[in-house]
């Protein structure tokens, strides 16, 4: 199942407004405009900040209408977003690295209150030392909190996932906050040509936000998040889980509808994308911009007759367990590329690898697993690095032992 | 900005004119004599039902709003301990955007947050400062029981000098562990936020109706506003619940807790011992009515009295009322 990205419908159809050279941040800002967001709260931290720069300019120029609030900290920023969402306003925020962690308390309760604003995370390493480069531990920190979380790989996807994200998050069956992660610098600040949907098409795809019986308004006098002691926590956590389960179906439907409106841009099973995997024996899997060097490496290795492919994992929460198990158990060996680190974890590897290994455990045929810690703190992951990772993964298939399978790529030793 | 009219509330003249309708009702389990609960009940009575309320973590959350029951007849939402200001901004911004874009009816809706002295005065002060810099219609009420009451009476930046709390127990080496002077939150906020048109200090029960009218005034003036209330807490202050009202009054009359409002930069004392002709009551008379000051010795009372006298004679409310020392020096 190799990916076939069909041509988007032509501009004459009225689906697209224009095409423009945008970086990831600017693309997200366009998505926020098209989603007709009502409340935006900003606080600076590189590299996500440029989303807010772009939004404030759009508002200043009258290109769209939203309350734009400069918060005094990420904690306030996220609380503003959460509370705006509670009165039925579509709300937007975001951050990077330590800023994301500073507001963590608010991020947690946004999920437990089952509110569906969208936050962008321009992934950044966690201080100290002060580092601006991409690392995924920031966004991953919400993985156990009841969030939707996905990674995009191009500015086009970034724009589109603002619309897709709100649609899924706000669905009555879901109502979970949406984390839209993109790699700092490599995506936040690299420019691509982006097709910008028309307002009418965006409207057709994304219904109005409606919290209905959960909205706070004098006409609907409810109490939200009363204190529960130990009596009901189990049931509420279970409800979060049920929502995440339902989200899997809603995600699929959202992509189908997206393809209906905008042309067939996304292929099944949507949670991830396969590249040259049809007859592959060895694949790498990763999130975000790892896709770029990995795909190029695949093409070069294919020219040499090697049966390799790449799986780009888009949705990390909810984790596409069944689909990914079916997919990965077809191969002899799977190399998981982690741009994060699970300190002191069972295998001393990455978070992604641990999730994938766990997902594969019930598979009838388990592939050999290799794990790569690479690109931490923004270090480049080159095509040569990717080729090396394919080599090691192919070797893994021939080994009997399952131990010692974590390799740090490009580490000064 | 919303085109909704500001509410022009009638001034309440006398306790018999207080609205009868309760919007904060049964279903809570605060202590007997909890003055903070009276503060809650009061503000929503006078604000009325076209109001949304956010309440920060603390006694007024945990002891008020238990799952499967709620005392609130108006929409209410819990907010995190340090998020009083930002919760109000979020709601006010959301409502304003929805009204402007025609997604809901354009009408005046009050947004009120209440947070405790720890939440508002310590942890959440940054968010409240930012809220008071905004141009949203919102009111933040900091209810001050001089402790983190909910977590079992720990000292906060607003606890009275010398008070015993679980974080500030008297000991053989250090007879007083609470050696910080009460933080002047209302004054600090008033002086630093030119867009904030109303700041007041109040007490739910003294003088009668004063607090209720301050809430009404804040909501009528509009924009971001702030009220600090002084709330005796029988559990934390260690006295019989029947004395709550009197203790509030004594705190004010001793001069420990100045009562004033600041309307567009002008300070108006709403209780001023200098004008009653009777003077302030000795702080010792107030402090010895509470178990939390049992360990104080004569020298401590003298010290506290000296500090209070100095406050009224020398600096009053720093940054808001003229700093007399400096004025004298200039003249
Ligand atoms: C971030 C955070 N830290 C600590 C707590 C624990 N906590 C809950 S209530 C409370 C005390 C709040 O004190 P205050 O704001 O004065 O309100 P009160 O309890 O006196 O009504 C604390 C410390 C918390 N809920 N959140
Ligand atoms: S501990 Fe104090 S503030 Fe808390 S409910 Fe009791 S009296 Fe009220």
């Amino acid at each position: 199942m190799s990916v076939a990205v069909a041509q988007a419908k032509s501009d004459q159809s009225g689906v697209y407004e224009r095409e423009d050279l945008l970086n990831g941040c600017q693309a997200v800002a366009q998505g926020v405009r098209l989603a007709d967001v009502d409340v935006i709260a900003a606080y600076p931290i590189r590299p996500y900040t440029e989303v807010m720069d772009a939004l404030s300019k759009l508002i200043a120029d009258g290109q769209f209408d939203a309350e734009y609030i400069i918060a005094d900290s990420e904690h306030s920023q996220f609380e503003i977003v959460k509370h705006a969402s509670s009165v039925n306003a579509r709300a937007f925020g975001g951050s990077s690295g330590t800023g994301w962690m500073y507001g963590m308390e608010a991020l947690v309760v946004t999920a437990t209150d089952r509110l569906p604003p969208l936050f962008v995370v321009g992934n950044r390493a966690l201080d100290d030392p002060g580092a601006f480069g991409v690392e995924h531990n920031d966004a991953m920190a919400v993985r156990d909190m009841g969030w939707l979380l996905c990674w995009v790989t191009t500015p086009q996807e970034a724009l589109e996932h603002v619309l897709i994200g709100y649609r899924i998050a706000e669905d009555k069956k879901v109502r979970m906050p949406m984390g839209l992660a993109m790699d700092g610098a490599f995506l936040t600040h690299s420019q691509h040509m982006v097709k910008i949907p028309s307002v009418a098409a965006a409207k057709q795809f994304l219904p109005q936000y409606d919290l209905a019986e959960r909205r706070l308004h004098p006409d609907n006098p409810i109490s939200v998040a009363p204190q529960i002691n130990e009596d009901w926590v189990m049931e509420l956590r279970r409800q979060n889980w049920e929502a995440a389960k339902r989200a899997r179906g809603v995600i699929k439907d959202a992509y189908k509808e997206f393809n209906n409106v905008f042309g067939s841009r996304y292929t099944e099973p949507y949670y991830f994308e396969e590249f040259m995997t049809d007859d592959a024996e060895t694949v790498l899997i990763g999130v975000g911009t790892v896709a770029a060097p990995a795909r190029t490496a695949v093409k070069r290795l294919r020219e040499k007759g090697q049966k390799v492919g790449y799986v780009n994992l888009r949705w990390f929460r909810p984790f596409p367990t069944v689909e990914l198990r079916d997919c990965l158990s077809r191969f002899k060996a799977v190399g998981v590329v982690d741009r994060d680190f699970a300190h002191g974890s069972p295998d001393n590897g990455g978070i992604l690898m641990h999730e994938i290994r766990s997902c594969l455990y019930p598979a009838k045929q388990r592939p050999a697993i290799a794990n790569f810690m690479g690109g931490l703190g923004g270090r480049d992951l080159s095509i040569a690095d990717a080729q090396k990772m394919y080599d090691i993964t192919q070797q893994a298939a021939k080994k009997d032992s399952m131990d010692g399978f974590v390799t740090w790529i490009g580490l000064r030793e | 900005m919303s085109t909704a009219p500001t509410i022009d509330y009638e001034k309440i003249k006398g306790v018999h004119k207080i609205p009868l309708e309760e919007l904060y009702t049964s279903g809570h389990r605060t202590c007997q004599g909890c003055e903070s609960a009276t503060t809650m009940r009061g503000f929503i009575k006078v604000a009325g039902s076209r109001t949304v309320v956010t309440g920060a973590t603390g006694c007024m959350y945990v002891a008020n709003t238990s799952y499967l029951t709620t005392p609130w007849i108006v929409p209410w939402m819990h907010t995190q301990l340090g998020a009083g200001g930002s919760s109000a901004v979020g709601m006010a911004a959301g409502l304003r955007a929805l009204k402007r874009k025609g997604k809901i009816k354009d009408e005046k809706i009050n947004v009120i947050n209440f947070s405790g002295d720890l939440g508002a005065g310590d942890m959440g002060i940054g968010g409240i400062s930012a809220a008071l810099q905004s141009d949203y219609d919102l009111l933040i009420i900091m209810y001050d029981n001089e402790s983190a009451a909910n977590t079992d009476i720990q000292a906060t930046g607003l606890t009275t000098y010398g008070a015993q709390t679980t974080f500030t127990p008297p000991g053989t080496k250090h007879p007083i562990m609470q050696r910080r002077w009460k933080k002047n939150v209302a004054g600090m906020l008033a002086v630093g936020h030119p867009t904030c048109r109303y700041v007041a200090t109040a007490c739910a029960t003294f003088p009668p109706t004063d607090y209720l009218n301050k809430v009404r005034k804040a909501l009528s003036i509009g924009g971001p506003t702030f009220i600090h209330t002084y709330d005796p807490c029988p559990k934390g202050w260690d006295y019989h619940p029947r004395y709550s009202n009197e203790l509030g009054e004594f705190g004010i009359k001793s001069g420990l807790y100045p009562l004033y409002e600041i309307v567009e930069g002008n300070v108006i004392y709403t209780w001023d011992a200098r004008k009653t002709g009777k003077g302030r009551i000795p702080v010792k008379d107030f402090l010895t009515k509470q178990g939390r000051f049992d360990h104080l010795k004569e020298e401590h009372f003298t010290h506290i009295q000296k500090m209070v006298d100095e406050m009224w004679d020398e600096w009053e409310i720093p940054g808001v009322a003229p700093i007399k020392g400096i004025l004298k020096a200039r003249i």
Side-chain angles (χ1 to χ4, degrees):
Chain A
M1 226 194 321
S2 60
V3 70
V5 179
Q7 280 301 304
K9 278 187 195 166
S10 74
D11 290 355
Q12 285 89 352
S13 66
V15 171
Y16 291 100
E17 176 179 295
R18 71 197 149 93
E19 217 172 332
D20 210 345
L21 189 63
L22 301 178
N23 66 29
C25 287
Q26 295 160 338
V28 167
Q30 288 297 331
V32 171
R33 170 180 70 87
L34 290 165
D36 187 27
V37 164
D38 300 307
V39 174
I40 295 161
Y43 192 84
I45 186 167
R46 276 191 269 179
Y48 111 97
T49 324
E50 201 180 333
V51 177
M52 294 300 176
D53 300 351
L55 280 169
S56 57
K57 183 68 176 141
L58 286 172
I59 291 169
D61 289 341
Q63 292 190 24
F64 100 107
D65 181 10
E67 294 293 315
Y68 180 80
I69 298 147
I70 300 162
D72 58 286
S73 69
E74 286 86 359
H75 191 282
S76 293
Q77 183 193 3
F78 301 160
E79 282 285 344
I80 290 169
V81 168
K82 175 190 112 184
H83 282 276
S85 185
S86 75
V87 297
N88 210 37
R90 186 170 281 158
F92 174 79
S95 195
S96 290
T98 47
W100 184 249
M101 304 307 273
Y102 190 79
M104 188 55 79
E105 185 198 30
L107 297 179
V108 171
V109 290
T110 306
T112 48
D113 287 348
R114 298 284 303 282
L115 290 164
L118 185 139
F119 296 77
V120 68
V121 197
N123 297 115
R124 166 178 166 159
L126 301 174
D127 292 1
D128 270 351
F132 309 138
V134 48
E135 204 172 280
H136 290 157
N137 275 76
D138 54 359
M140 292 273 188
V142 296
R143 73 184 185 274
D144 303 329
M145 312 278 185
W147 274 64
L148 301 164
L149 184 58
C150 88
W151 263 266
V152 289
T153 57
T154 61
Q156 184 73 46
E157 283 184 14
L159 186 159
E160 289 166 356
H161 279 73
V162 175
L163 304 176
I164 293 169
Y166 275 118
R167 188 182 157 119
I168 297 163
E170 290 171 1
D171 191 295
K172 202 170 177 217
K173 298 195 278 297
V174 180
R175 283 186 188 153
M176 294 164 71
M178 166 73 196
L180 174 59
M182 52 181 192
D183 288 2
F186 295 122
L187 182 48
T188 55
H189 287 74
S190 74
Q191 291 181 310
H192 295 227
M193 287 308 287
V194 177
K195 282 179 183 294
I196 302 175
S198 66
V199 172
K203 239 193 183 131
Q204 188 192 335
F205 171 71
L206 180 61
Q208 262 215 3
Y209 174 38
D210 183 13
L211 255 185
E213 77 288 351
R214 290 283 318 280
R215 80 178 174 137
L216 271 155
H217 186 274
D219 292 342
N220 190 45
I222 52 168
S223 286
V224 174
Q227 213 261 335
I228 58 175
N229 290 336
E230 53 283 343
D231 296 357
W232 286 96
V233 174
M234 293 271 289
E235 287 72 18
L236 292 176
R237 296 286 179 270
R238 179 58 179 254
Q239 284 179 13
N240 277 58
W241 175 62
E242 301 279 352
K245 253 188 0 183
R246 289 192 295 269
R248 293 189 165 115
V250 175
I251 289 171
K252 281 196 165 199
D253 293 345
Y255 282 100
K256 281 182 200 152
E257 182 55 20
F258 190 91
N259 287 346
N260 264 344
V261 177
F262 294 99
S264 305
R265 293 194 24 77
Y266 295 96
T267 49
E268 294 228 55
Y270 309 115
Y271 313 110
F272 52 86
E273 230 171 37
E274 298 186 29
F275 182 78
M276 292 191 152
T277 53
D278 276 353
D279 60 342
E281 289 174 0
T282 301
V283 295
L284 290 187
I285 177 167
V287 299
T289 55
V290 174
R295 281 182 185 145
T296 309
V298 167
K299 281 192 226 156
R300 295 195 185 164
L301 295 171
R302 283 263 167 195
E303 279 162 20
K304 292 185 192 155
Q306 296 188 22
K307 293 184 172 172
V308 293
Y310 182 70
V311 180
N312 176 49
L313 183 61
R314 184 179 286 132
W315 283 86
F316 187 73
R317 281 292 181 270
F319 198 82
T321 317
V322 176
E323 290 80 358
L324 200 63
R325 183 186 299 145
D326 288 350
C327 162
L328 295 182
S329 55
R330 302 195 328 256
F331 311 114
K332 286 194 181 136
V334 174
V336 185
V337 189
D338 268 292
R339 210 165 207 153
D340 57 77
F341 184 45
H343 293 262
S345 57
D347 296 304
N348 294 308
I351 296 169
L352 188 57
M353 179 274 293
H354 284 97
E355 301 255 331
I356 287 173
R357 253 171 62 115
S358 170
C359 143
L360 283 169
Y361 189 77
K364 284 202 188 70
Q365 264 206 306
R366 285 200 288 263
I369 294 276
N371 186 205
F372 303 101
M373 305 300 309
L376 299 185
R379 186 165 296 180
D380 200 15
L381 267 179
S382 64
I383 297 163
D385 289 333
Q387 285 179 330
K388 186 173 163 197
M389 291 191 272
Y390 278 109
D391 270 359
I392 296 172
T393 310
Q394 282 166 333
Q395 296 304 315
K398 294 174 195 149
K399 272 204 294 190
D400 298 337
S401 164
M402 292 274 255
D403 296 332
F405 59 89
V406 183
T407 313
W408 287 61
I409 295 294
L411 184 75
R412 292 186 200 100
E413 279 179 302
Chain B
M1 272 226 229
S2 167
T3 53
T6 50
I7 292 182
D8 193 8
Y9 287 109
E10 213 180 304
K11 187 172 175 188
I12 297 163
K13 296 189 184 115
V15 286
H16 298 297
K17 297 283 164 44
I18 297 171
L20 288 176
E21 193 185 9
E22 300 286 355
L23 297 170
Y24 165 87
T25 61
S26 56
H28 53 94
R29 50 188 169 93
T30 54
C31 306
Q32 264 192 345
C34 175
E35 186 95 342
S36 298
T38 313
T39 301
M40 302 301 106
R41 180 181 168 204
F43 84 69
I44 195 63
K45 246 178 189 290
V46 297
S49 63
R50 304 310 280 174
T51 303
V52 292
V53 177
T54 71
T57 319
C59 259
M60 289 306 104
Y61 166 46
V62 174
N64 265 327
T65 318
S66 311
Y67 198 49
L68 302 179
T69 171
T70 173
W72 293 102
I73 304 291
V74 293
W76 171 93
M77 183 172 177
H78 171 229
T79 197
Q80 297 312 111
L81 185 52
S86 40
S87 67
V89 168
M91 286 195 176
L95 291 170
R96 185 156 95 187
L98 295 176
K99 287 185 224 167
R100 186 176 60 235
K101 292 178 166 187
K103 295 179 183 178
I104 58 172
K105 197 177 107 195
D106 193 9
E107 60 168 327
K108 170 85 180 175
I109 298 173
N110 299 312
V111 175
I112 301 179
N113 164 260
F114 62 89
S115 303
D117 46 305
L118 184 80
D122 288 341
M123 180 189 255
I125 198 148
I128 290 176
S129 169
L132 296 185
Q133 268 195 311
S134 77
D135 63 352
Y136 293 109
D137 289 335
L138 53 89
L139 166 62
I140 294 158
I141 297 174
M142 176 176 74
Y143 70 94
D144 176 13
N145 49 36
E146 297 214 319
S147 64
N150 177 59
T151 33
D152 213 13
I153 318 298
Q154 287 81 28
T156 75
L158 281 94
T159 304
T160 291
Y161 178 93
Q164 199 179 131
T165 70
T166 54
F167 275 6
T168 56
T172 46
K173 184 168 163 69
H174 300 291
I176 288 181
M177 288 285 278
Q178 166 55 14
R179 291 186 292 262
R180 303 183 295 179
W181 197 254
K182 190 176 175 75
K183 199 191 273 191
N184 183 3
V185 175
M188 187 197 316
L189 292 176
V191 74
H193 303 90
T195 43
C196 170
R197 293 166 59 208
Y198 188 81
V199 168
T201 63
C203 176
T205 49
F206 182 80
T209 70
D210 178 67
Y211 161 62
L212 301 179
N213 281 318
K214 281 173 174 167
V215 172
R216 283 215 160 159
K217 206 182 248 182
L219 295 172
S220 309
I221 285 175
T225 51
F226 180 83
I227 296 177
H228 171 184
T229 65
Y230 193 56
D231 300 359
C233 157
K235 184 176 113 184
W237 296 16
D238 193 7
Y239 61 85
H240 193 285
R242 77 159 71 114
Y243 297 120
S244 282
N245 296 0
E246 282 85 340
L247 273 181
E249 184 175 337
F250 278 20
I252 291 157
K253 288 188 168 170
S254 71
L256 260 169
Y257 182 76
L259 218 54
Y260 57 90
E261 58 186 353
I262 301 158
V263 190
E264 309 233 11
N266 296 312
V267 186
I268 304 154
Y269 285 93
T270 46
W271 177 265
D272 195 344
R274 294 166 301 194
K275 290 189 185 144
T276 62
K278 291 184 195 152
R280 296 188 300 272
I281 62 168
V283 285
K284 191 178 170 186
D285 288 3
F286 169 62
L287 300 177
T288 48
K289 291 188 169 53
Q290 307 164 53
R292 63 177 172 154
F293 297 110
D294 272 356
H295 59 298
L296 296 194
K297 302 201 171 62
E298 209 48 48
E299 71 212 63
H300 302 130
F301 293 126
T302 312
H303 174 70
I304 297 171
Q305 186 66 59
K306 190 174 143 278
M307 289 286 286
V308 173
D309 293 345
E310 194 181 299
M311 178 170 87
W312 282 90
D313 298 342
E314 298 300 324
W315 47 270
E316 286 193 3
I317 311 164
V320 178
I323 300 173
K324 289 187 179 167
I326 295 177
L327 281 182
K328 266 187 224 148
R330 275 211 205 120
I331 298 160

